[in-house]
Amino acid sequence: MQVAYSSFLSATKPLLIKMLDVLSQDYPYVSILGTDVAGNTYAVRSQSVQINDAHWVERGWVVRVHNGEHYAEYSFNNLSEHSFLSTIQLIRYDLNHTLELLKNSNIPIHPYSPFEESSMRSRWEGEIAIDPFSIDSSEKIERLNTIKQKAHELSQSLISFGAIFQEIKTSKCYLSNQKDLEQAWIHTEGYLIPIVKRNGVSRSIFKGFSGRKGYEIMDEMEKALGSTLDEAELLLDAEPLKQGEYDIICSPDVTGLIAHEAFGHGVEMDMFVKNRAKAQDYMDKTIASPLVEMHDGARAAEHVSSYWFDDEGIPGQDTVIIQKGKLTGGITDLLSSIRLKISPTGNGKRQSYAHKAYARMTNTFFSPGHHSLEEMISSIDYGILLESSQSGMEDPKNWGIQCVVTYGKEISKGQLTGKIFSPVIMTGYVPDLLQSISMVSRDFELYGTGACGKGYKELVKVSTGGPYIKAKAKLV
Amino acid sequence: MIEKITKYLQQFKDQLSDWKINISKTEGREIYLIGNTVDMARVKNIENVRLTVYKDFKHQAKTCRGSASTIIHPTMNDSEMEETIQKAIYAAGFVKNEHFPIVNHVVCINYPGGSSTPLQELTEIMPRWIQEILEPSQEMNGVSINSAELFLNLKEETILNSKGLSVNFIQPSISIECITQAQGLQEEIELNDDIRLADLKEGILKSKIMQLLRYTHDRSKAVLLPKVDEVPVILSGDCVGDLLQYYLHRLSARFIHENISDTDIGENIQGDQVEGDLITLYLDPQLPGSYYSRPFDTDGFPLHRFRLIHQGAVERYWGDIQYSHYIHTAPTGQWCNISVESGSSTLQQMKAEPFLEITHFSDFQTDYITGDFGGEIRLGYYFDGSRLQPVYGGSIAGNLKKIHHQMTLSKEKRLLKKYYGPCSIKLKGVNVAGNI
C-alpha cells in the first residue's frame, strides 16, 4: 500500500505559500521545510510495559533566508492564521537583529551567493506491505508479550528481556519560489535485548531489525529470537582477547560500521570546508584494496534513510565513494556545495526542523564481491570472525578507527573453534584496514537501527552494511 | 493550549485515573563559526508538550496502572487533539504494570534556583561569547580554533499533574562544540570538546577554551603510544564521570526491579578485600555550576542530594517514583548527576611511578551491566619512570568489577558535566594496546 502524505502539511500549505510570498518581499531567497513525523514505541520488558511516542516525533518548520549576503534560519512549531503576522514579524526581527548584532560587533560573516534553484514540483509516497498504524495497540503489546514469554521459556540464564517495536511515519514538504516538493514514508524498527547471567557473570546483547518495512518486521523478530538467545548465552563463556594484529572477517553489520565510522564521516564534505577531513587530499587516489566499492545515497538502497529529497530540497542520489579502491566522491549539504563549488548530492539532513542541516550519510555500504563466507573462513590459519557491531567513533582528520564489536569467534586452521572473545575493540589507521581487504563475500545486508551522531549530537537515521569482508586489523 | 488539553482530560475523566503534562518552551540563538568567521546564524522558538495518561484497572485480581505518553503539537486542531488523547487513553489500558503513585501536590512557581536572565540579555552578550571562543588562540602560538558551534538557550519547563502538581522553572544554558587544530609532528591534528555551561560569568568559557588549546598543543607533540606492559592507567577528564556512573546504575531502582542489577543494601560494592580507595558516592541532582543540574525530575519530583554509597558500602537505591515504589524504597527522583568524595592520593603521588594517563578518548564507553570499559586514545601522557611523553593511538580495555578493589581516587576534585569528584582515577590491571 501507498503511504498517505500528511493531511496536516496539506492543510497548512496555503499559509506557508503566503509566508513565502511575504518573506520574499524582504529576502531574495526564502525556503521552508515542513515536517510532520508521527510514531509510537511499544516496549515489553520482563517486569514492565511502556507505550510512548517514538523518539523521532516532531511537527514544525524551518525557514531559511538569504538576505543578499548571508544565510540564516528560523525554526518554529506554532503557526495559525491568527498568529501569521506576528510570526512573520518575529522571523524578520530575530534574524535581522542577530545578523546586525554580529556585524556591529565586527564579527565577520561569510558571504554566500544565493543558491540558484531549478524549478521542481513533485510528490512521492513510499510503499509499505502492512501499515503498522492500522494494527491495534493491544495486538502489538500482545505480540511483544508472547516473544518475551517465549524468551523466558527458551533460556534458563535469562534474567531480563526486552522486546521493542517502533513505527514511524515521516512526511516532509519543501517550498521555495522554484520548488514545491512533498514526500511521505513509513519505517519500522524492532529490538530484542536479552540479559543473561551465570556464575555471577552478566552479559547482554542487542539485536536490531529495521527497514522501510511495516508491521511484518515483527515476523523477523520472532524468527530471530532463538538465535539471539543463543548468542547471548555464548557470551557467558567469552574471554578477553589478547591484543594484537589479526586476520579478521567482519560480518555485514561490522562491515557497515567500518564503512560508516571509519570512512563515511570522512567524506561528509562540510568537513572539507572546515579542512577537517584527510579525504580531501586523497580524491582520485587509491585508498583501499581494488576489491572495495563503497556507496552512499538516499537512492542507493531502499532502507531507513531512503527519501526523494533531503532537508534542503535537493533530490537524493546514489554517490559512489570508492570504486576499485580509488576515492571517487564525497557527500554534501547545500551550503558546503556552494563553498566547494560542486553540485549538492542530496545529503543535507537535520535531526529535526529545530536543527541545522549538515552533510550526513544516508544508506552507506560496501558492495558485495564474489567469495563465500566458507571460503573466507577456510583461508585463515588463525583469526577472528567479528560479529554484532556496538559502536564506533569517527576521526575524519587523522583517519583513526575505533569500532566496538560485541564479540569475536575464533578461527583456527580454517575452522571456527567455538571459542568466543568479548568485547572486542578494533583500532588502527583507516587506509591500512581498507587496503588489507583481501576477500569480499557475495552476501549483502543493511542495518538501520539506532541513530548516527555528528560529533556528540545531531542524531539522524542512517543505514549501513555490506558483505562479509576479510582484512587485517589491530584488536584489543 | 493547556486549557484545551485539560478540557479533554476532564471530558474523558471516567476513562482515566491520572494525568501529567510536561511543557518545555525553548528560545535559542545559534552561531556556527568556521575559523573566526560566522558561517550561519539560527534562531529557534519552539514549544513541546507531552501528555502522559494513567489508567487503573484490574487484571487477574491485581490492580494495574497502565500509562501511555503522547506529544501534543501546538498546531493540533480540536478534533486531532481529542483523537490523540483518546488513543493514548485506549493504549494505556493494555499496559499491565503494577500500580504506582504519581507525585502528589507540589506547587512551585518560578523556582528560586532558576535564572530570570531574559533571552534578550543572553542574545546581546552573544558577541562576548564568540570573543571568549576566539581570543585565547590569539594568545597561544601554533594552535587555533578550527570551528565552533555556540548554542544559547533559555528553556522554561512546566510540569502539571492531576494530583495538583504545578512546578515551573527557567534555566539558561550555553553549549559549545569546539574543534581546535595544530600542526603535529607528522600532520595536522585536531581535538574537540563539548563544553556545557550553566554559569554565565565572564571568563569561564575563555578558561575552558584555553585549557582545550593547551591539550591541543600537547597532542601536536604526541607520538604513537608504544607497547607498554602492565603500566597503571590514570583516567582524567570526562571519562572519570562516565566510568563512575557504573555504580549509580548498579543502584538504580529500575536495574534492581528488572533484575539487571543484584546489588544488595549493605553490600561492599568493590568487594570485601579492597586494597585501594573506598568509594563514597552521592546522587547530586543540583551540582552547583553544572549545566545538567535541575530542581525537579520529569515527574515533578523535587530533587535532593542523597548518599548512596559510604566507604564502599551500599546505603540505598535511587530512582523515580514508579520503580522506587516497585522495590519498596523511598523515591529520590530520576536524575543522573553524581558527586564522589576525594580519594587518598594527590595527583603528584599518583604520578610518582610509571603511568599512562589518558585525558581524551575518541569515544569512551562503559557497559553499566558488565562493567566493561574502554576506548581509543586521542591524547594521553606516558611516563616511563624518567620522561613524560604525550601519546596518542592505541586503546585500553578493562572490566571495573575485576579491578575496582585496587582503584585509587585523587584528592583533587573537579566538576565534569554530570559529575563532581576526584579529577583522576588510577587503575591497575587495564589491558593497554600500544603500537609495536
Side-chain angles (χ1 to χ4, degrees):
Chain A
M1 63 162 284
Q2 202 166 36
V3 176
Y5 179 68
S6 158
S7 55
F8 169 78
L9 289 179
S10 291
T12 47
K13 189 172 177 180
L15 209 51
L16 294 184
I17 291 171
K18 195 168 142 191
M19 178 175 275
L20 201 62
D21 289 344
V22 174
L23 288 173
S24 293
Q25 292 166 17
D26 297 318
Y27 302 104
Y29 169 88
V30 182
S31 70
I32 305 173
L33 175 78
T35 66
D36 185 12
V37 183
N40 304 293
T41 302
Y42 301 84
V44 172
R45 298 191 172 85
S46 294
Q47 310 288 340
S48 63
V49 180
Q50 282 179 316
I51 301 179
N52 293 318
D53 42 275
H55 171 75
W56 305 102
V57 171
E58 56 161 318
R59 181 188 278 184
W61 300 273
V62 53
V63 170
R64 175 182 279 182
V65 302
H66 187 273
N67 68 354
E69 288 180 280
H70 318 295
Y71 281 104
E73 291 185 343
Y74 189 94
S75 295
F76 61 107
N77 69 340
N78 204 350
L79 181 68
S80 64
E81 285 281 3
H82 179 70
S83 66
F84 181 79
L85 282 178
S86 59
T87 304
I88 291 279
Q89 277 172 354
L90 266 180
I91 293 172
R92 276 193 195 125
Y93 175 79
D94 283 344
L95 291 181
N96 293 345
H97 177 68
T98 303
L99 290 172
E100 274 167 25
L101 193 66
L102 294 169
K103 276 190 174 174
N104 294 339
S105 307
N106 295 320
I107 294 167
I109 312 175
H110 181 77
Y112 275 97
S113 52
F115 181 63
E116 299 290 334
E117 285 185 327
S118 49
S119 180
M120 196 182 289
R121 284 171 192 278
S122 71
R123 174 183 281 196
W124 173 79
E125 291 167 321
E127 296 281 337
I128 198 91
I130 305 171
D131 179 4
F133 292 91
S134 69
I135 309 289
D136 197 90
S137 38
S138 64
E139 185 184 323
K140 290 167 192 161
I141 290 292
E142 208 41 59
R143 195 131 176 223
L144 293 170
N145 225 358
T146 307
I147 292 174
K148 178 199 81 176
Q149 281 166 356
K150 201 169 166 192
H152 279 280
E153 285 163 22
L154 286 171
S155 172
Q156 300 304 310
S157 312
L158 197 65
I159 55 167
S160 186
F161 184 79
I164 300 169
F165 171 76
Q166 195 171 78
E167 58 201 11
I168 297 110
K169 179 185 166 185
T170 303
S171 294
K172 294 189 179 186
C173 68
Y174 180 88
L175 287 170
S176 69
N177 287 324
Q178 293 295 322
K179 291 187 177 178
D180 180 352
L181 308 174
E182 294 170 335
Q183 61 184 351
W185 70 89
I186 283 175
H187 83 266
T188 52
E189 295 175 35
Y191 301 88
L192 300 176
I193 312 167
I195 302 174
V196 291
K197 187 173 183 181
R198 194 194 303 145
N199 301 330
V201 176
S202 299
R203 292 285 178 187
S204 70
I205 198 165
F206 155 104
K207 183 68 83 180
F209 309 82
S210 61
R212 282 266 297 282
K213 299 169 181 174
Y215 191 58
E216 65 274 13
I217 209 165
M218 283 274 205
D219 299 337
E220 292 179 33
M221 292 168 68
E222 277 175 347
K223 275 183 202 156
L225 178 62
S227 59
T228 304
L229 293 168
D230 290 345
E231 274 183 60
E233 294 205 358
L234 266 179
L235 285 180
L236 289 170
D237 299 318
E239 296 175 16
L241 183 68
K242 192 180 168 204
Q243 60 161 299
E245 189 174 60
Y246 293 88
D247 278 330
I248 59 165
I249 298 172
C250 299
S251 62
D253 64 320
V254 179
T255 299
L257 185 67
I258 292 168
H260 179 96
E261 298 291 357
F263 209 77
H265 279 292
V267 291
E268 292 172 337
M269 294 175 92
D270 50 355
M271 295 292 173
F272 288 24
V273 172
K274 294 172 182 171
N275 196 26
R276 288 190 61 201
K278 202 174 213 176
Q280 66 199 99
D281 300 327
Y282 284 79
M283 275 297 168
D284 299 318
K285 291 181 184 166
T286 298
I287 44 91
S289 142
L291 299 175
V292 174
E293 179 173 298
M294 181 176 152
H295 290 244
D296 177 275
R299 297 194 201 174
E302 186 80 356
H303 216 275
V304 296
S305 193
S306 302
Y307 47 73
W308 176 247
F309 60 87
D310 71 4
D311 293 337
E312 298 177 298
I314 306 296
Q317 63 183 51
D318 177 359
T319 305
V320 180
I321 308 289
I322 301 173
Q323 194 165 38
K324 292 184 179 167
K326 194 183 274 187
L327 179 59
T328 52
I331 54 177
T332 178
D333 61 304
L334 182 57
L335 296 194
S336 300
S337 74
I338 294 172
R339 278 186 174 240
L340 296 168
K341 298 186 172 60
I342 56 170
S343 296
T345 58
N347 288 78
K349 293 169 66 173
R350 300 173 190 270
Q351 177 172 318
S352 77
Y353 71 89
H355 288 244
K356 182 184 180 286
Y358 296 82
R360 303 304 299 270
M361 280 175 271
T362 53
N363 308 300
T364 312
F365 54 85
F366 286 127
S367 301
H370 303 290
H371 291 99
S372 69
L373 174 60
E374 292 70 29
E375 285 170 339
M376 294 163 84
I377 293 173
S378 64
S379 74
I380 290 178
D381 184 49
Y382 188 83
I384 309 290
L385 168 59
L386 299 173
E387 293 192 345
S388 188
S389 61
Q390 250 183 40
S391 67
M393 194 65 187
E394 77 270 25
D395 180 15
K397 183 80 175 177
N398 301 110
W399 272 347
I401 302 168
Q402 177 181 310
C403 292
V404 183
V405 177
T406 308
Y407 62 90
K409 292 178 174 170
E410 185 183 54
I411 302 168
S412 182
K413 303 204 184 316
Q415 289 188 323
L416 293 167
T417 64
K419 195 170 178 181
I420 300 286
F421 301 103
S422 177
V424 181
I425 301 174
M426 187 195 313
T427 65
Y429 182 58
V430 172
D432 289 349
L433 178 71
L434 296 185
Q435 282 173 1
S436 75
I437 294 174
S438 55
M439 293 174 95
V440 178
S441 85
R442 290 185 283 272
D443 313 82
F444 183 78
E445 278 188 70
L446 285 177
Y447 303 84
T449 51
C452 160
K454 192 153 177 120
Y456 295 95
K457 57 186 182 58
E458 309 299 339
L459 299 179
V460 295
K461 287 303 300 178
V462 294
S463 80
T464 63
Y468 286 93
I469 56 171
K470 179 187 164 189
K472 275 188 188 295
K474 254 185 274 175
L475 305 177
V476 59
Chain B
M1 181 164 67
I2 299 310
E3 290 75 26
K4 259 198 217 175
I5 297 172
T6 48
K7 184 192 89 179
Y8 287 117
L9 292 169
Q10 182 66 20
Q11 186 179 316
F12 302 131
K13 66 178 181 188
D14 295 339
Q15 299 168 46
L16 57 87
S17 309
D18 277 308
W19 53 261
K20 177 182 75 171
I21 301 173
N22 293 76
I23 306 147
S24 105
K25 290 181 187 174
T26 306
E27 288 186 83
R29 301 287 184 274
E30 301 170 0
I31 299 294
Y32 298 83
L33 290 164
I34 298 180
N36 61 358
T37 304
V38 172
D39 184 55
M40 183 189 263
R42 282 178 41 84
V43 175
K44 189 155 67 180
N45 189 352
I46 54 178
E47 179 179 11
N48 289 316
V49 178
R50 182 188 298 271
L51 168 69
T52 306
V53 291
Y54 304 90
K55 189 172 185 173
D56 297 345
F57 54 93
K58 289 273 184 195
H59 177 69
Q60 295 175 347
K62 280 196 332 197
T63 303
C64 294
R65 165 154 281 201
S67 64
S69 78
T70 186
I71 300 281
I72 306 289
H73 300 294
T75 44
M76 279 181 172
N77 61 32
D78 288 1
S79 62
E80 194 182 7
M81 192 183 289
E82 183 178 358
E83 188 188 337
T84 302
I85 294 172
Q86 266 188 320
K87 274 187 182 168
I89 294 169
Y90 175 73
F94 305 106
V95 177
K96 295 166 189 160
N97 285 337
E98 198 181 314
H99 193 271
F100 60 93
I102 63 170
V103 178
N104 206 356
H105 194 74
V106 176
V107 177
C108 184
I109 296 169
N110 295 328
Y111 170 72
S115 164
S116 57
T117 311
L119 184 71
Q120 190 65 26
E121 199 179 310
L122 278 181
T123 307
E124 297 301 329
I125 56 174
M126 193 168 62
R128 190 198 93 196
W129 295 107
I130 295 172
Q131 293 303 341
E132 288 204 27
I133 294 170
L134 296 176
E135 273 176 11
S137 64
Q138 292 160 11
E139 298 166 20
M140 283 184 76
N141 282 333
V143 288
S144 58
I145 301 294
N146 170 281
S147 51
E149 298 183 353
L150 171 64
F151 301 87
L152 304 168
N153 286 319
L154 196 65
K155 193 170 176 183
E156 178 180 4
E157 288 197 53
T158 305
I159 311 167
L160 311 167
N161 78 12
S162 51
K163 295 284 189 224
L165 170 83
S166 176
V167 299
N168 170 279
F169 53 100
I170 300 174
Q171 288 184 309
S173 62
I174 317 279
S175 62
I176 302 100
E177 184 168 294
C178 187
I179 317 292
T180 52
Q181 62 189 14
Q183 180 58 47
L185 296 175
Q186 291 177 332
E187 58 185 355
E188 257 193 9
I189 58 88
E190 68 173 36
L191 273 187
N192 60 57
D193 200 2
D194 175 30
I195 300 166
R196 309 270 170 147
L197 301 175
D199 195 331
L200 310 182
K201 275 194 223 100
E202 197 166 346
I204 289 181
L205 176 57
K206 189 175 174 179
S207 70
K208 289 191 178 288
I209 297 287
M210 192 65 97
Q211 188 185 40
L212 177 61
L213 290 168
R214 278 194 289 266
Y215 279 128
T216 309
H217 172 266
D218 288 351
R219 171 64 185 84
S220 73
K221 307 292 178 203
V223 299
L224 266 176
L225 175 68
K227 190 170 171 4
V228 290
D229 292 321
E230 298 187 9
V231 66
V233 169
I234 298 173
L235 298 179
S236 299
D238 289 340
C239 59
V240 176
D242 293 343
L243 185 70
L244 295 178
Q245 283 273 335
Y246 167 79
Y247 296 108
L248 186 71
H249 282 78
R250 299 305 295 172
L251 306 182
S252 139
R254 189 176 83 77
F255 266 39
I256 298 293
H257 178 66
E258 302 274 2
N259 295 325
I260 298 169
S261 170
D262 57 2
T263 308
D264 291 323
I265 300 294
E267 177 181 323
N268 292 319
I269 200 158
Q270 294 166 261
D272 293 325
Q273 293 186 325
V274 177
E275 297 162 19
D277 288 332
L278 290 163
I279 190 165
T280 295
L281 181 144
Y282 298 81
L283 179 71
D284 211 341
Q286 296 188 52
L287 286 176
S290 169
Y291 172 97
Y292 296 92
S293 290
R294 53 181 282 149
F296 302 93
D297 75 0
T298 55
D299 286 325
F301 192 89
L303 295 168
H304 300 289
R305 190 171 193 250
F306 288 96
R307 191 169 69 194
L308 306 182
I309 304 171
H310 182 232
Q311 291 290 300
V314 174
E315 288 193 330
R316 63 167 297 157
Y317 300 128
W318 68 284
D320 67 5
I321 198 163
Q322 178 180 5
Y323 286 101
S324 298
H325 179 79
Y326 289 167
I327 65 164
H328 311 292
T329 188
T332 60
Q334 175 84 15
W335 207 249
C336 290
N337 292 355
I338 56 170
S339 59
V340 173
E341 285 190 358
S342 291
S344 60
S345 300
T346 62
L347 288 170
Q348 198 180 4
Q349 287 166 336
M350 273 186 174
K351 295 177 181 177
E353 56 180 8
F355 64 86
L356 170 65
E357 181 184 21
I358 305 163
T359 55
H360 292 76
F361 286 92
S362 313
D363 184 22
F364 184 77
Q365 297 272 336
T366 306
D367 185 325
Y368 301 132
I369 296 171
T370 62
D372 290 331
F373 66 89
E376 192 227 1
I377 301 164
R378 284 271 162 95
L379 176 62
Y381 300 85
Y382 176 55
F383 178 61
D384 62 5
S386 59
R387 182 167 175 257
L388 184 70
Q389 172 68 51
V391 292
Y392 73 98
S395 59
I396 64 157
N399 184 287
L400 192 58
K401 277 166 81 172
K402 291 181 183 164
I403 60 175
H404 57 179
H405 62 287
Q406 290 185 308
M407 178 166 74
T408 308
L409 304 170
S410 71
K411 273 187 180 168
E412 295 86 344
K413 294 169 89 173
R414 198 174 154 197
L415 176 68
L416 297 158
K417 296 195 168 87
K418 298 178 179 178
Y419 164 81
Y420 176 66
C423 55
S424 297
I425 304 176
K426 188 172 181 178
L427 298 163
K428 291 176 182 169
V430 178
N431 192 1
V432 180
N435 297 273
I436 301 158

